[in-house]
Amino acid sequence: MAETTTTPAASDRGDLADVGVTGLAVMGRNLARNIARHGHAVAVHNRTSSRVDELVDEHGDEGDFRPSHSLEDFVASLAKPRRVIIMVKAGKATDAVIDELVPLLEEGDIVVDAGNAHFEDTRRRERDLREHGLHYVGTGVSGGEEGALEGPSIMPGGSRESYDALGPILEDIAVDVDGTPCCTYVGPDGAGHFVKMVHNGIEYADMQLIAEAYDLLRSGLGMEPADIAGVFEDWNSGDLESFLVEITARVLRHTDAQTGKPFVDVVVDQAEQKGTGRWTVQSALDLGIPVTGIAEAVFARALSGAAGQRKAVLDKGLAGPSGVRLEGEDAEGFVDAVRQALYASKVVAYAQGFDQITAASAEYGWGVDRGMMATIWRGGCIIRARFLDRIKEAYDADEHLASLLLDDYFASAVDDAQDAWRRVVSAAVRLGIPAPGFSSALAYYDGLRRDRLPASLVQGLRDLFGAHTYRRVDTEGTFHTLWGGDLSEERQDTADQGSHSPH
Ligand code: 2AM
């Protein structure tokens, strides 16, 4: 270890390490290196101890690493309260490491799970560790391998007290945007992992919308990928400026070296998923929040992956207007219309994601500051975008904002875009180009702004077949019509509600 940095913190602590990382696969290694590079003494440990030696051999000169070959030595090398970051595969491995670790720790120590855990697992583990007098911090870490090393966006949950001890180190290693670290205390127990999950869900929606925009330009106007790359480059200098739009241009511009074809044409068109999008939708269903943008993105990936079904349909040749293109007047200004539709749909997708955070925060008593979530997503994250500054401003202006769509800026942005948005969705429908993200976002917007929804008819149907009752627009109370009798209306005792079959 050349050039060992001894931070004031380390010397105060009798030469014990400031923090420890166990689990030294790429993410754990990079986090440990990032911590060391910021002048903190970092204890490192891994189940297979050769990885500890590899890390120190290869990167020992980057800072003050304290290698341990047993968990006992690792824990003993940490200053109190001990701060232990676990970076293992989410699931059983996390529980296994916690089980080994807990007997070695003392009251007040802090266990951090920096993996992609499901927030319900984090809630359970936090409860269990609290009984042992330990703090459990489930933290979202965004930015992948590179982010872990160069500066991720960090979303820590757990007790406020644990953040006092841990926050300064995390804020140190997080990426910085305009002088603000992309790390803040999110809220108790599962809040950090929840917010990270929704972040990933929004990422799904954003990518789906971008993919639809590409498809509309390619199939609707007959543009070549390299030309569409130019369009995305152009869009990246306006309101749509974001990491995802930037890399879309790069991917579309790329030519396959082997065939000379556009890269997108040689890639199998079946999108995969690791599951956080699905988790987001499952949670949204439980919370009753319509995250249509995220759900459509998850379903679109599932449809793309249904290879057998797709082939059978293709072989049979199910009818459609495929092959039809926009021409003449229809094509005029279409590229810009797609830009506006993309922006409006993106506003809806983010509004829905933030609604889900709002609902969970209320349900679990987390007190999540939504403006701060937009702030810490501005760097490190896949969804980093100029747009997030606007979201932060919206929530800063009104912390109780009922929907992002109600913020003056977003309301007028969507209003300005809506003619183009309707034009693009109509064109997609006419041409047979699937645009579930664009069209469901528009349907959501139209549903939300509607004076009367046909849900009244749904209530009538439910009352007829299941006596599920309904409320009236003109008076308080719950009612049931005697559909099988004289069609008279009965006022229901509220205690009866919910006693019928659930539909
Ligand atoms: P390994 O090198 O011994 O496999 C990512 O999988 C990281 O988590 C690796 O560093 C891996 O250690 C570690 N890991 C996986 N399962 C584990 C377990 N049950 N206990 C401890 N570490 C584990």
Side-chain angles (χ1 to χ4, degrees):
M1 259 192 283
E3 229 187 341
T4 300
T5 347
T6 308
T7 62
S11 52
D12 286 352
R13 292 160 178 273
D15 213 32
L16 291 166
D18 301 314
V19 59
V21 177
T22 178
L24 300 177
V26 190
M27 284 295 288
R29 265 165 81 97
N30 284 359
L31 264 188
R33 291 173 61 196
N34 185 351
I35 294 169
R37 287 173 174 193
H38 280 87
H40 304 282
V42 57
V44 285
H45 170 265
N46 192 63
R47 179 177 60 180
T48 309
S49 59
S50 56
R51 287 210 203 225
V52 178
D53 302 324
E54 271 166 37
L55 169 60
V56 176
D57 286 348
E58 290 167 27
H59 304 288
D61 59 350
E62 293 178 3
D64 187 358
F65 294 95
R66 311 287 175 87
S68 285
H69 294 109
S70 75
L71 208 57
E72 287 77 8
D73 288 350
F74 171 70
V75 168
S77 72
L78 291 166
K80 296 177 191 173
R82 299 182 183 90
R83 292 173 281 200
V84 182
I85 299 177
I86 302 173
M87 190 77 248
V88 301
K89 201 164 179 285
K92 286 196 183 101
T94 310
D95 285 317
V97 175
I98 291 172
D99 288 346
E100 262 190 89
L101 203 53
V102 166
L104 305 173
L105 298 175
E106 289 170 38
E107 202 170 321
D109 287 349
I110 302 165
V111 177
V112 183
D113 172 18
N116 259 331
H118 191 283
F119 77 99
E120 290 287 15
D121 285 337
T122 303
R123 283 167 56 77
R124 164 177 62 78
R125 290 168 183 148
E126 196 276 336
R127 253 192 327 267
D128 291 350
L129 265 68
R130 196 164 359 112
E131 283 179 11
H132 288 89
L134 300 171
H135 296 282
Y136 189 73
V137 176
T139 184
V141 177
S142 181
E145 295 169 12
E146 194 190 329
L149 183 62
E150 304 293 343
S153 170
I154 309 181
M155 295 153 247
S159 66
R160 179 59 86 170
E161 196 186 339
S162 65
Y163 193 78
D164 291 341
L166 191 69
I169 295 183
L170 297 183
E171 290 181 19
D172 240 11
I173 64 164
V175 68
D176 191 290
V177 175
D178 303 334
T180 307
C182 291
C183 173
T184 193
Y185 175 62
V186 177
D189 58 81
H193 276 140
F194 187 90
V195 163
K196 173 61 172 31
M197 175 188 78
V198 174
H199 159 281
N200 284 23
I202 290 175
E203 178 185 310
Y204 273 57
D206 209 336
M207 287 167 67
Q208 173 64 22
L209 293 171
I210 285 173
E212 290 177 19
Y214 151 76
D215 197 11
L216 283 157
L217 297 182
R218 183 132 193 222
S219 312
L221 289 179
M223 290 175 71
E224 288 304 316
D227 297 326
I228 302 174
V231 169
F232 274 89
E233 274 158 15
D234 186 35
W235 290 353
N236 200 37
S237 58
D239 286 339
L240 282 169
E241 182 190 320
S242 59
F243 174 67
L244 280 172
V245 167
E246 179 196 324
I247 63 171
T248 299
R250 284 175 54 196
V251 172
L252 289 175
R253 198 169 284 291
H254 184 50
T255 303
D256 175 50
Q258 241 177 56
T259 58
K261 289 183 183 167
F263 170 77
V264 278
D265 289 352
V266 301
V267 176
V268 172
D269 61 346
Q270 296 173 27
E272 295 175 6
Q273 42 189 322
K274 281 195 180 166
T276 40
R278 185 171 54 232
W279 285 355
T280 312
V281 178
Q282 284 167 339
S283 146
L285 292 173
D286 291 339
L287 292 163
I289 302 299
V291 290
T292 59
I294 301 170
E296 291 294 357
V298 173
F299 290 144
R301 289 198 195 185
L303 188 152
S304 79
Q309 214 175 22
R310 286 176 61 193
K311 179 162 185 324
V313 168
L314 200 64
D315 289 348
K316 189 172 169 71
L318 287 191
S322 309
V324 184
R325 292 235 166 106
L326 294 173
E327 274 164 359
E329 238 177 53
D330 278 350
E332 239 171 72
F334 192 70
V335 173
D336 198 58
V338 171
R339 177 187 64 79
Q340 295 184 59
L342 176 57
Y343 192 65
S345 304
K346 186 170 153 151
V347 171
V348 167
Y350 280 65
Q352 294 175 337
F354 274 91
D355 284 353
Q356 187 174 354
I357 291 175
T358 309
S361 182
E363 171 84 15
Y364 301 109
W366 287 335
V368 177
D369 177 338
R370 297 173 297 178
M372 280 309 290
M373 296 308 105
T375 305
I376 64 171
W377 290 349
R378 294 182 311 157
C381 295
I382 301 296
I383 63 170
R384 60 188 183 261
R386 180 200 281 199
F387 173 75
L388 290 165
D389 287 327
R390 299 292 196 178
I391 296 182
K392 177 185 166 29
E393 283 162 19
Y395 285 121
D396 282 355
D398 177 3
E399 65 172 310
H400 301 297
L401 195 65
S403 165
L404 261 190
L405 292 162
L406 290 169
D407 172 70
D408 287 345
Y409 167 79
F410 287 115
S412 68
V414 170
D415 183 23
D416 290 348
Q418 72 163 306
D419 288 347
W421 197 7
R422 292 180 196 286
R423 176 185 171 194
V424 170
V425 171
S426 313
V429 171
R430 242 179 332 119
L431 301 179
I433 301 170
F438 280 20
S439 53
S440 71
L442 181 56
Y444 173 86
Y445 175 72
D446 282 335
L448 199 60
R449 60 174 195 83
R450 202 69 186 287
D451 172 24
R452 292 276 299 159
L453 287 168
S456 54
L457 175 58
V458 173
Q459 285 298 82
L461 300 175
R462 294 177 69 244
D463 189 56
L464 188 149
F465 69 67
H468 289 297
T469 74
Y470 52 88
R471 287 176 292 124
R472 296 184 55 98
V473 295
D474 51 5
T475 171
E476 291 290 313
T478 305
F479 299 89
H480 169 56
T481 289
L482 298 174
W483 297 100
D486 64 359
L487 296 182
S488 64
E489 184 176 73
E490 285 180 342
R491 185 182 278 272
Q492 299 291 295
D493 181 346
T494 46
D496 277 356
Q497 279 185 55
S499 62
H500 306 287
S501 61
H503 281 286

